[in-house]
Amino acid sequence: MRVVVAIPDAGPFVERLRAGGHTEVAVLAPDVMVGVAREGSGATEALAEADVVVLAASRAWLTREVVELCDRAATRIVAWARDPSERRFAEVLGVAVVDADVDALDAVTALPSPRPRGRSRGRVIVVWGAAGAPGRTTLAIELARETARDGRRVALADADTHAPSVAIALGIPDEGPGLAAACRRASRGELTPAELTRIAEPAGAVEVLTGINRTTRWPELGSGRVMRTLATCREWVDDVFVDVSASLERDEEIVSDLDGPRRNGATLAALESADLVVAVAAADPVGLSRFLRAYPDLRATVGAVPVHVVVNKLRGGPLGIDPRGQIRRSFERYAGIERCWFVPWEPRAADAALLAARPIGEGNGRGPLPAAVRRFVGEAIAPPTPSTPAQLRRQRVTGRAAPVRSAP
């Protein structure tokens, strides 16, 4: 068997292969492998003659060009994954994947894991809030992180055309392709789950589609494009959380170009595609007033889609005695909202997370805010009974079983 090895520090791996009887082993640096695929070189012929290529599963090296080159040459790829995010990336591409600590002889004989059949459609969960800063992005990040802890494939998309901030909050470069690139490919009919994996940036266990880096680029997130992108996201992950802007106005009556893009088109398209909406209100008189005025417009936009209300930044100062009771009574009286969830105001943890560019729950997992998010996910967003091995393992270890509920 002819084997090409393109992984960092390949020496011990190659020695083990040769000791096991594989004498025809060639070594390529991973970046050279990418150059071969893009430009072609003398190494292309050697690659075409190989039976197996063991390639590092990094997004920088396991590229579309490399996969296409190996497909044309009928050379099987074995992705060598150093962490769970690389394993997930390789699995989406449909190639065989092994962990970095697996025996070299087992690696070259690995077969692609069968893809699950009859996989249910993923859910689109939109995080919306009234004007101001009720904490939409913070909650979207925390909800995505907490949902991913149950072993589900989770993505986070920033569709805010007024003030996108997911990339900044997570320390991800906003010059990357992100959601805008996914929308462009969707408009040409070229968007696939594998392409979404290439475009997305990993943030722990969550795949992130960053937003536009300049608000003047909002026409790139057209309504039709966003809808087609979210439809593909349903095939890509189990749950995609979409952070959207506050504005819900439809301005067709005041413009002459009825077919032109709309600034709020991305928000409206996401809400119309949603299986579930998380509506965020800030726990102060101004935030609650803005929320109650905008809530009827939200209900008119989403129709019968379930809406779960979360009151964020809860503290006693702005509302006096019994803030929870006051908020519940106001919601029930003025909006007919019979149930809501509360997330406490934890400024030190929020500041520390923003400074470190990470979710609050990563450095403060037992704090009041992550605990409130965990409770909300378990009661309102938790998926049906776990069916994947990772979910079942987590249930056995933690004893936390997701409640059985009907699909949204």
Side-chain angles (χ1 to χ4, degrees), residues 1-358:
M1 180 185 292
R2 299 181 180 89
V3 182
V4 172
V5 179
I7 63 176
D9 302 321
F13 191 95
V14 173
E15 289 178 6
R16 182 71 183 90
L17 285 179
R18 288 174 175 161
H22 292 281
T23 56
E24 298 185 54
V25 180
V27 181
L28 285 178
D31 52 347
V32 172
M33 181 78 173
V34 176
V36 167
R38 288 180 179 171
E39 302 171 6
S41 70
T44 306
E45 183 177 350
L47 182 63
E49 294 176 354
D51 298 301
V52 179
V53 173
V54 181
L55 176 62
S58 166
R59 293 167 186 261
W61 298 326
L62 186 59
T63 65
R64 177 176 58 189
E65 292 86 359
V66 169
V67 174
E68 290 176 350
L69 174 62
C70 291
D71 285 346
R72 290 195 300 270
T75 301
R76 185 164 59 86
I77 294 178
V78 174
W80 187 78
R82 291 170 291 185
D83 55 55
S85 64
E86 290 189 349
R87 170 172 278 278
R88 289 194 300 272
F89 174 67
E91 286 174 344
V92 170
L93 296 180
V95 302
V97 56
V98 295
D99 294 326
D101 56 358
V102 76
D103 185 85
L105 296 175
D106 293 334
V108 298
T109 57
L111 296 176
S113 16
R115 297 195 176 187
R117 297 182 180 179
R119 181 182 181 275
S120 59
R121 293 175 73 239
R123 297 182 298 174
V124 174
I125 303 172
V126 176
V127 182
W128 171 90
R136 290 183 299 270
T137 299
T138 298
L139 275 183
I141 292 171
E142 298 302 318
L143 292 174
R145 173 191 172 274
E146 182 61 33
T147 305
R149 291 179 68 236
D150 279 328
R152 292 174 67 79
R153 288 184 53 82
V154 176
L156 173 61
D158 191 344
D160 191 335
T161 54
H162 291 265
S165 55
V166 169
I168 297 172
L170 292 176
I172 298 174
D174 59 4
E175 293 84 6
L179 183 61
C183 286
R184 287 194 296 273
R185 285 168 172 76
S187 67
R188 299 194 295 265
E190 300 173 356
L191 189 64
T192 63
E195 190 68 17
L196 281 169
T197 300
R198 296 189 190 100
I199 293 171
E201 294 284 346
V206 179
E207 302 283 350
V208 180
L209 293 173
T210 56
I212 52 179
N213 56 5
R214 294 187 305 278
T215 54
T216 53
R217 294 178 56 195
W218 65 261
E220 297 179 36
L221 304 184
S223 175
R225 290 179 168 189
V226 170
M227 282 189 171
R228 287 190 286 271
T229 299
L230 293 179
T232 306
C233 285
R234 293 179 186 277
E235 304 171 8
W236 175 43
V237 292
D238 298 311
D239 299 295
V240 54
F241 289 83
V242 188
D243 182 20
V244 298
S245 59
S247 300
L248 300 174
E249 295 86 356
R250 299 177 183 269
D251 53 3
E252 286 84 355
E253 293 81 8
I254 59 174
V255 296
S256 57
D257 184 5
L258 296 181
D259 295 325
R262 301 286 179 267
R263 182 69 177 268
N264 301 328
T267 297
L268 296 172
L271 288 170
E272 291 169 7
S273 301
D275 299 295
L276 176 66
V277 176
V278 178
V280 185
D284 60 71
V286 174
L288 294 172
S289 174
R290 287 173 172 171
F291 179 84
L292 289 171
R293 290 173 179 171
Y295 184 73
D297 295 332
L298 174 67
R299 291 275 20 163
T301 301
V302 302
V305 173
V307 176
H308 295 322
V309 177
V310 176
V311 181
N312 194 25
K313 303 181 182 179
L314 181 70
R315 69 270 194 204
L319 298 173
I321 301 174
D322 189 20
R324 294 173 184 255
Q326 291 189 58
I327 292 171
R328 287 194 182 101
R329 289 190 292 271
S330 297
F331 279 179
E332 188 171 1
R333 177 179 179 183
Y334 296 109
I337 299 171
E338 297 179 353
R339 187 180 185 186
C340 60
W341 286 261
F342 296 93
V343 175
W345 178 225
E346 200 176 356
R348 290 186 178 179
D351 290 347
L354 196 59
L355 177 63
R358 66 184 183 189

